[in-house]
Amino acid sequence: MPQNHGNFLDMPQLQKGVTRFWLIRHAVVEQNARRHLYGAMDVPLCPDSLVAQRPMYEALARRLPHPALWFTSPLGRAQQTAQAIQQAGYGTQASRIEPAFTEQSMGEWHGTTHDQLPQKLAVPAHPFWSVGATEQPPGGESMVQVCARVGAALDRMSREHAGKDMVIVSHGGAIRGALAHALHVHAHTALHFSIQNLSLSVIEHLREGWRIVNVNELPLV
């Protein structure tokens, strides 16, 4: 019988010993923050959603691998989401702060209401993001720059933790940046991905390169 070549995901379970990133977007932030461009601001989670979405945290706790290394962005909403997942059944696990996985900095535009933003833009906004991929707010960063910093972190972490499962609780922009890096696509293209709150996206680093396992998987409850 001829042997298959390459790496295939034919079985229902993922192969062990693969360098794998489990990327989770943080939970919903509180209502007042959502009225503004909050980017890399440290805004709190919605307390009502933390209670109402408890089954989603439990589903994530069941879905994530054991053992795994845990990382969060420096922002409190990512750290609190990680704690909620662990408390929902995963079990206590030390989490490391990974600055590269923070959200896009909007610089001087932080706190701008969404109706005030269009007059500040130098290029048209992306249809699925607050600003265009090349737009760099004063004192902030463009999505192109986000993709570069996230990509560099993925490469570094793949070397440092080869063969490990890594859970990273992060942000919509940073996760899109990870997908852009894995697919070798421009930031504008990556912004077409929908990354919902509490969704899971999984990517792998193999000898042959990066592979996307799934994107924007919502917890089954």
Side-chain angles (χ1 to χ4, degrees):
M1 294 288 292
Q3 292 185 339
N4 289 333
H5 68 280
N7 292 280
F8 300 96
L9 286 175
D10 295 330
M11 302 299 290
Q13 294 183 338
L14 296 177
Q15 179 183 351
K16 295 186 180 299
V18 172
T19 306
R20 189 173 291 121
F21 294 85
W22 304 72
L23 304 166
I24 301 168
R25 186 185 175 195
H26 64 80
V28 177
V29 302
E30 60 94 13
Q31 185 174 4
N32 185 60
R34 298 198 298 272
R35 298 191 179 101
H36 301 81
L37 196 68
Y38 56 86
M41 293 174 63
D42 212 350
V43 299
L45 294 180
C46 173
D48 293 337
S49 293
L50 278 170
V51 175
Q53 295 180 333
R54 169 80 181 191
M56 298 181 74
Y57 293 101
E58 294 173 346
L60 277 169
R62 293 190 299 268
R63 178 77 170 88
L64 296 174
H66 283 274
L69 302 174
W70 280 66
F71 301 86
T72 74
S73 91
L75 299 180
R77 59 186 182 270
Q79 297 173 39
Q80 190 176 1
T81 301
Q83 293 169 0
I85 296 168
Q86 293 181 12
Q87 292 169 359
Y90 187 91
T92 302
Q93 179 77 22
S95 296
R96 311 180 204 183
I97 303 298
E98 179 46 70
F101 278 90
T102 197
E103 185 56 284
Q104 179 182 6
S105 172
M106 295 298 177
E108 296 177 14
W109 295 352
H110 279 134
T112 301
T113 59
H114 293 290
D115 62 335
Q116 295 172 331
L117 182 61
Q119 62 192 9
K120 298 178 180 292
L121 301 179
V123 298
H126 192 279
F128 304 114
W129 196 245
S130 299
V131 297
T134 59
E135 181 86 69
Q136 183 176 359
E141 60 185 339
S142 69
M143 183 53 65
V144 171
Q145 292 170 314
V146 172
C147 293
R149 67 164 158 81
V150 171
L154 287 172
D155 289 341
R156 170 177 51 81
M157 294 170 74
S158 294
R159 294 190 300 269
E160 294 174 349
H161 309 293
K164 303 291 186 180
D165 282 298
M166 288 167 272
V167 175
I168 304 178
V169 184
S170 184
H171 307 269
I175 295 172
R176 290 175 175 93
L179 296 171
H181 182 71
L183 291 171
H184 302 287
V185 299
H186 193 271
H188 178 87
T189 303
L191 287 174
H192 284 270
F193 281 109
S194 177
I195 305 294
Q196 295 168 263
N197 294 104
L198 294 181
S199 68
L200 172 66
S201 300
V202 181
I203 63 176
E204 298 176 335
H205 187 259
L206 305 166
R207 181 181 57 189
E208 296 83 358
W210 290 95
R211 173 164 64 188
I212 308 294
V213 178
N214 65 286
V215 176
N216 198 47
E217 173 189 316
L218 293 174
L220 297 175
V221 297

